[in-house]
Each structure stands twice: as C-alpha cells, then as structure tokens.
Amino acid sequence: MSKNVQDLDGLVEAFEVYPTSNPTPPGERAAELAAPRFGTVFTDHMSRITWRKDSGWQDRRVVEYGPLALDPAAAVLHYAQEIFEGLKAYRHADGSIWTFRPEANAARFQRSAKRLALPELSTDDFIGSLAALVRKDIEWVPSADGFSLYLRPFMYASESFLGVRSSHEVEYLVIASPVGSYFADGVKPVSIWIAQDYHRAGKGGTGSAKCGGNYAASLLPQIEAYEQGCEQVAFLDDVTDTYLEELGGMNLFVVRSDGTVETPELTGTILEGVTRSSILQLARDRGHEVVERRISLAELLAGLRDGSVSEVFACGTAAVITPIGRFKGVNFDEVVSGGAAGELTMALREELTGIQTGKVEDRYGWLTRLA
Ligand code: COI
C-alpha cells in the first residue's frame, strides 16, 4: 500500500523554511521546465541539515538555493569524504507528487555513510528533507510525460582540518533539478566501451557505496569510451578482469533468448541499485527466471554471437532502463538485438515508469506521497 501524504507532515515540520526573496519568475520557470537538459537547472530552494560530532544532527532547514561557503581546508576538498543519492519526484494526473522507494535510498545512504566514516542520517530526516523541499518548490515538479524532478541528497565533510581522520563537521543537503531523459538523444540504444586498463572498484574498497570518488574514477575511462565512439563505459572485476560489473553509474542486465533475466551478483564492488532490485521483482512477477550471478564478458560476447543473448540493458534512477545496442572492446565490436531496443527491455521500462507516474497500479507499495 502506498504511503499517505499526512504521514510525512511531522517529518516536514522539523524543517524551518527560509523562503528566497528572489524566486524564479513563473514565465522563466515554465521555459526551464519545457526542455531541461539533465542536471543543468535547479529549483529555488534546498534542504539542509548540519552535523557536529559533539551535538549530532541539528538545524533542519529549507533555504534559498545558492553557492556553499567552504573553507579551502575543508576535508571534502582534500580527502573526498562525500556521499550522495538520486531519486525522482513524479507529478501524477491529479497533481499529487510522489517518490519511489525512498526508504531504500535512505538505507543505502546510511550504508554509504558508514563506509565513508560519515554520520548516518535517519530515514525520517532523509524522507523529511525530500518532502520539505518538494513542498516548497512544488511548482518545479514537471507535469509533462517523461519529465520529473530529480532529487539529489548529498553529504560532505566540511571541517577545516588537514589531518587525515573522519570530519567532526558535516553538511547534508538536498537539491532538485527538473529533468527529462538522461541521455540527450532520448531512449535510444547506447553503445558501451568495455574498459581495458581501468577498474571502477576493488575488493574491500568503496564500490558498493555511492560516493563521489567512485564516479571520479570512472571519468577517464568514460573519456576513453567517447574516443572509441561509445556513449558509456562498463567495467570488469578487478581481480580476474573477467566478469561484468557495472557501468560508471548504472547496473547491467542480460536477457537470454529463453527469457531468463540475469544481472551481475552483488560482490561488494557493485552498487546496490534501487532500480536494479525493482527490475528483479518485476521480471520475476512476469514469470521470468531471474538469476543474480557472475557473468563473464566472454560468455556475453559468445551469447550475442550465437543468439542465446537477446537483449542487454542498463538501469539507474536517472536513466531508468536504457537499452544497450553495442559492446565494443580492444578486439571485439558486437551488436545487441540488431542495434534495436529489446522487447522486454522496453516493456519493463514501461511498467516501471507506469508505476512511478501513477499510470500502473503500485502493487508493491513502492510509492510515497510527498505532497
Ligand atoms: C542515478 O541514476 O541517480 C545516478 O546516481 C547516476 C548518475 C546520474 C550519477
């Protein structure tokens, strides 16, 4: 059962609202909402909570969106003690605003915090901060099909101290950005470069945490992908250079021609995607056999060549489900599904976005009403 809007009132009331004296004029906002490019336009406000080692989380507030004051010695600038999340707020046909599985993001944010030696934020504060911001900037939630308000919670070490230890001062914020498709070309099959000389994560490292450092490590291989004529990069495991892990910011799925749906198992070096786990559920309930296991690149390429692999797709909050049309590496270049979007890929995308936008019944209780 979906959660009701009144359930969040108490959480939202914990946030003091300081409205901007300079809100975006309605005409300008309408123009921004008409065709936003992913992550380039931001709403008028942001949620914020401060943490101090001796007094804990405090000062819950919604303030004007704007630059942050940061001492040049702030720990995050030197030692990358930072984590983030990604969710979306969707406007349903009746004007109500909903988000998708925020408890799962809150729990992952807590796990990421633990790994990066940051303080854990309660699920109530996490969801309260989303609802407080969305209620303040409600006009920024797009209503057009395929559009939503991307929510970006993040936390960083703000203490000015150059010694290497976990910070005694931390800031948590949520910013919001109206978005359409993650890729500039819309939902079209993307091409993937398999990184040859780089890995995203190593055993015992931070691969399963959503921290900025993991994304920083993927940027150079991403440039290599562009140079190879590919849109995205995918990584193999760091120990044997054999098994598929994930893209820079998305999980991977393989569909076999017998209908089996497979995804790399969580080995500690892969991000536990909320979209990933939702797809596993949806595919299972459609009657597909669903398998989480190690999938080697050699096996994938052989399956593409002999036709036993029929579809491959990537998934994440930002890009939802994105078909993959091609895999390229140093000595291979294989097309997937004849370069077209796979049937199950698009059916799962339709069902998932249908649930998120209120067009398909939320039979899993995945939605929380924010406003
Ligand atoms: C997301 O899908 O929300 C992500 O975090 C991926 C990327 C935009 C960093």
Side-chain angles (χ1 to χ4, degrees), residues 151-232:
L151 302 171
R152 171 55 63 88
F154 62 103
M155 189 193 287
Y156 63 90
S158 53
E159 185 184 359
S160 311
F161 177 62
L162 293 184
V164 182
R165 62 144 167 78
S166 63
S167 181
H168 292 176
E169 296 172 13
V170 169
E171 293 294 324
Y172 163 77
L173 292 102
V174 187
I175 55 173
S177 171
V179 295
S181 174
Y182 181 68
F183 292 107
D185 287 349
V187 188
K188 294 218 184 92
V190 294
S191 48
I192 303 292
W193 168 251
I194 301 286
Q196 190 71 17
D197 300 322
Y198 304 105
H199 297 103
R200 179 186 163 276
K203 190 166 182 286
T206 57
S208 64
K210 202 161 174 71
C211 61
N214 291 340
Y215 294 78
S218 76
L219 298 179
L220 181 58
Q222 176 65 50
I223 290 174
E224 194 177 84
Y226 294 144
E227 286 167 357
Q228 293 292 333
C230 294
E231 283 136 314
Q232 288 285 307

Side-chain angles (χ1 to χ4, degrees), residues 12 15-21 23 29 43-47 61-65 97 128-141 149 176 370-371:
V12 170
F15 287 76
E16 193 81 39
V17 179
Y18 301 90
T20 174
S21 53
R29 188 179 58 233
T43 67
D44 287 325
H45 297 88
M46 56 192 188
S47 291
R61 57 216 192 266
V62 174
V63 297
E64 181 177 37
Y65 180 93
I97 313 292
S129 66
L130 305 178
L133 178 58
V134 165
R135 289 181 189 191
K136 184 66 199 144
D137 282 342
I138 193 161
E139 296 94 345
W140 284 91
V141 185
L149 186 68
L370 295 176

Side-chain angles (χ1 to χ4, degrees), residues 64-336:
E64 181 177 37
Y65 180 93
L68 303 168
L70 211 54
D71 191 282
V76 65
L77 298 178
H78 304 272
Y79 310 126
Q81 197 187 4
E82 184 271 353
I83 57 171
F84 69 95
E85 272 300 326
L87 306 88
K88 284 176 175 166
Y90 308 88
R91 188 182 289 279
H92 287 191
D94 64 357
S96 57
I97 313 292
W98 301 75
T99 194
F100 185 73
R101 305 188 67 185
E103 310 82 3
N105 292 87
R108 188 173 64 188
F109 201 52
Q110 288 153 6
R111 291 195 297 275
S112 298
K114 196 163 192 252
R115 180 62 186 85
L116 272 287
L118 283 161
E120 291 179 42
L121 186 77
S122 72
T123 302
D124 278 357
D125 271 338
F126 184 86
I127 296 178
S129 66
L130 305 178
L133 178 58
V134 165
R135 289 181 189 191
K136 184 66 199 144
D137 282 342
I138 193 161
E139 296 94 345
W140 284 91
V141 185
S143 48
D145 239 16
F147 292 80
S148 56
L149 186 68
Y150 186 76
L151 302 171
R152 171 55 63 88
F154 62 103
M155 189 193 287
Y156 63 90
S158 53
E159 185 184 359
S160 311
F161 177 62
L162 293 184
V164 182
R165 62 144 167 78
S166 63
S167 181
H168 292 176
E169 296 172 13
V170 169
E171 293 294 324
Y172 163 77
L173 292 102
V174 187
I175 55 173
S177 171
V179 295
S181 174
Y182 181 68
F183 292 107
D185 287 349
V187 188
K188 294 218 184 92
V190 294
S191 48
I192 303 292
W193 168 251
I194 301 286
Q196 190 71 17
D197 300 322
Y198 304 105
H199 297 103
R200 179 186 163 276
K203 190 166 182 286
T206 57
S208 64
K210 202 161 174 71
C211 61
N214 291 340
Y215 294 78
S218 76
L219 298 179
L220 181 58
Q222 176 65 50
I223 290 174
E224 194 177 84
Y226 294 144
E227 286 167 357
Q228 293 292 333
C230 294
E231 283 136 314
Q232 288 285 307
V233 59
F235 296 93
L236 300 177
D237 76 283
D238 70 304
V239 177
T240 66
D241 248 331
T242 303
Y243 299 102
L244 293 161
E245 296 229 307
E246 60 164 278
L247 276 58
M250 283 181 268
N251 294 122
L252 264 175
F253 274 85
V254 173
V255 183
R256 300 206 156 261
S257 49
D258 67 3
T260 308
V261 174
E262 300 181 337
T263 192
E265 69 180 327
L266 302 173
T267 51
T269 51
I270 296 176
L271 191 79
E272 291 178 43
V274 177
T275 311
R276 174 188 182 280
S277 86
S278 309
I279 289 167
L280 289 172
Q281 177 89 50
L282 292 178
R284 198 175 289 121
D285 291 353
R286 278 172 172 259
H288 291 267
E289 189 184 340
V290 166
V291 184
E292 294 175 75
R293 68 175 180 88
R294 300 186 100 189
I295 304 168
S296 74
L297 173 65
E299 190 191 341
L300 171 71
L301 295 176
L304 291 172
R305 286 172 193 141
D306 68 19
S308 60
V309 168
S310 52
E311 305 179 26
V312 189
F313 63 85
C315 68
T317 297
V320 196
I321 293 179
T322 299
I324 292 176
R326 180 181 166 208
F327 280 97
K328 189 176 176 196
V330 167
N331 47 24
F332 59 88
D333 193 347
E334 289 295 328
V335 169
V336 185

